[in-house]
Amino acid sequence: MEAPRDAELKKELDAALHARKDLGEEYESALVDSFLEKVEQRLDGTIDRRMRRHMAEQQMVVARGARTPDSGVDSWGERFGFGIVSLILAIPLSAIGVVNAGLSGLFVTWFGIVGVNAVHAARGTGVLAALRSRDRKPTAWDD
């Protein structure tokens, strides 16, 4: 499907170049602007088609009841993996905090680690889920 579009765009460019030869350099900026406007319209059309297709695919996934990437519902494995990674990263972060700020640096570091893990754990339940569902705009696929 892209080959005919490329040939069409090539014809447009050839026409602009021939028009420049016929009209002279004083019309060059107008010809370039006109050609770039056609390229922009073509790009906008392509992006619109891709976005509509992507949205339709997402709506089909939601309609079938599958988990969407932004649903906020994560598995036990994701939570466990996040906890393990944060504990592994806690070791060098704790050392950096102690070296730079002493005991208060250690407390700040661990407060941040616990805070990040608490927010991650609360994503699928409680207040954060209620806020997310309240702010979500209903779609035509919602019951």
Side-chain angles (χ1 to χ4, degrees):
M1 184 170 163
E2 294 300 320
R5 296 182 67 82
D6 288 345
E8 209 173 292
L9 197 57
K10 186 176 182 332
K11 286 180 187 177
E12 299 269 350
L13 179 60
D14 288 339
L17 291 174
H18 287 298
R20 182 192 177 271
K21 287 178 186 174
D22 293 341
L23 297 174
E25 290 185 20
E26 59 269 4
Y27 291 101
E28 184 174 337
S29 66
L31 291 170
V32 169
D33 289 342
S34 172
F35 177 72
L36 289 178
E37 186 176 314
K38 290 175 186 177
V39 170
E40 184 179 354
Q41 288 172 353
R42 184 117 358 139
L43 284 173
D44 287 343
T46 302
I47 291 170
D48 286 344
R49 278 193 310 280
R50 287 182 182 172
M51 286 302 297
R52 282 194 303 269
R53 183 174 44 224
H54 179 71
M55 294 299 292
E57 288 171 358
Q58 280 187 336
Q59 289 175 345
M60 289 298 293
V61 168
V62 170
R64 291 180 180 152
R67 185 184 133 188
T68 59
D70 60 348
S71 67
V73 180
D74 49 11
S75 67
W76 180 85
E78 274 182 70
R79 291 191 308 268
F80 183 73
F82 188 82
I84 294 295
V85 168
S86 68
L87 286 175
I88 291 170
L89 291 175
I91 296 167
L93 290 175
S94 297
I96 292 169
V98 168
V99 167
N100 288 322
L103 192 58
S104 62
L106 181 66
F107 286 131
V108 169
T109 301
W110 275 95
F111 181 74
I113 292 167
V114 169
V116 165
N117 279 286
V119 169
H120 181 73
R123 272 184 14 192
T125 60
V127 176
L128 292 177
L131 287 174
R132 195 177 316 113
S133 65
R134 184 190 71 187
D135 293 339
R136 190 175 71 88
K137 295 179 179 130
T139 64
W141 294 99
D142 289 340
D143 291 330

